[in-house]
């Protein structure tokens, strides 16, 4: 059975994961309309992953005797100021999400909730991977400068798949 405080913070994470999904979906849609098909594909895949993260929270809360609440989501921006800025925004957002996962870890330790502590470790690992994969993309973009965006767009999915 989840303590009320734990149920509350996990429900707050549903809002954050759902917003992440919508944010990346908005970025994907923008990139698509700008002609960046590869970058859009990467972002669409990212949006789906975030949806899966949100679902994990929904199921876990209910399995542990709580009630997962489906919230309204704030509307994400529709326009972005270029590819580099967009990926910097993704990184900042992931760092913010990592911070909120850490807050959950801190609370469940305080509440002696070792079941949730055990479960949330998947997200701790996932955040390390997400931050590093976005950082990797930013590094590649910095190497390229402002040229060769065509090649970057063409290659981004292979960067993802090779886990470079
Ligand atoms: Fe679900 Fe990218 O954090």
């Amino acid at each position: 059975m989840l303590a009320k405080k734990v149920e509350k913070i996990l429900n707050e994470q549903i809002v954050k994961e759902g917003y992440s999904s919508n944010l990346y979906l908005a970025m994907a849609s923008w990139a698509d309309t700008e002609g960046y098909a590869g970058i859009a594909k990467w972002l669409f895949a990212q949006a789906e992953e975030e949806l899966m993260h949100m679902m994990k929270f929904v199921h876990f809360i209910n399995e542990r005797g709580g009630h997962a609440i489906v919230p309204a989501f704030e509307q994400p921006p529709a326009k972005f100021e270029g590819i580099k800025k967009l990926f910097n925004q993704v990184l900042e957002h992931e760092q913010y999400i990592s911070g909120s996962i850490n807050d959950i870890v801190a609370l469940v330790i305080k509440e002696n909730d070792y079941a949730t502590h055990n479960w949330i470790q998947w997200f701790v690992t996932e955040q390390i991977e997400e931050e590093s994969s976005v950082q990797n993309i930013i590094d590649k973009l910095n190497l390229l400068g402002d040229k060769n965006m065509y090649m970057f767009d063409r290659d981004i999915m292979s960067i993802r798949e090779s886990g470079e």
Side-chain angles (χ1 to χ4, degrees):
M1 191 74 189
L2 289 174
K4 281 289 159 207
K5 275 187 200 168
V6 175
E7 183 177 350
K8 182 169 178 284
I9 202 170
L10 295 178
N11 263 307
E12 286 164 4
Q13 196 64 26
I14 289 181
V15 179
K16 292 174 187 170
E17 300 292 345
Y19 179 77
S20 304
S21 181
N22 284 349
L23 175 63
Y24 299 154
L25 190 57
M27 288 175 166
S29 177
W30 173 82
D32 211 14
T33 61
E34 294 289 311
Y36 296 113
I39 291 166
K41 194 172 172 196
W42 189 93
L43 287 161
F44 278 125
Q46 208 62 28
E48 278 183 11
E49 269 192 27
E50 298 300 349
L51 192 60
M52 186 263 280
H53 292 174
M54 184 184 78
M55 297 288 273
K56 276 181 182 276
F57 279 91
V58 169
H59 290 308
F60 182 77
I61 293 170
N62 288 345
E63 272 164 20
R64 298 291 299 156
H67 182 185
I69 306 297
V70 179
F73 298 108
E74 193 189 321
Q75 184 172 352
K79 290 194 172 148
F80 299 88
E81 295 164 41
I83 298 302
K84 273 194 185 173
K85 273 204 177 168
L86 181 146
F87 279 105
N88 279 317
Q89 250 177 291
V90 173
L91 181 60
E92 268 175 37
H93 187 72
E94 286 305 323
Q95 286 165 342
Y96 161 72
I97 295 293
S98 298
S100 63
I101 296 291
N102 288 344
D103 290 344
I104 295 173
V105 175
L107 180 71
V108 296
I109 289 172
K110 208 171 132 221
E111 295 287 318
N112 291 334
D113 182 348
Y114 298 110
T116 306
H117 183 264
N118 188 42
W119 177 80
I120 200 76
Q121 294 311 308
W122 185 89
F123 283 92
V124 173
T125 308
E126 178 72 5
Q127 283 312 117
I128 297 169
E129 281 167 16
E130 295 224 325
E131 281 189 36
S132 120
S133 111
V134 181
Q135 186 62 60
N136 181 39
I137 284 174
I138 292 171
D139 292 346
K140 292 243 174 0
L141 279 171
N142 286 339
L143 272 177
L144 282 171
D146 287 322
K147 292 165 292 205
N148 284 326
M149 208 49 85
Y150 172 79
M151 274 172 57
F152 178 80
D153 185 60
R154 193 194 60 188
D155 293 343
I156 185 170
M157 286 309 281
S158 61
I159 298 173
R160 181 191 182 93
E161 276 141 26
S162 70
E164 264 180 61

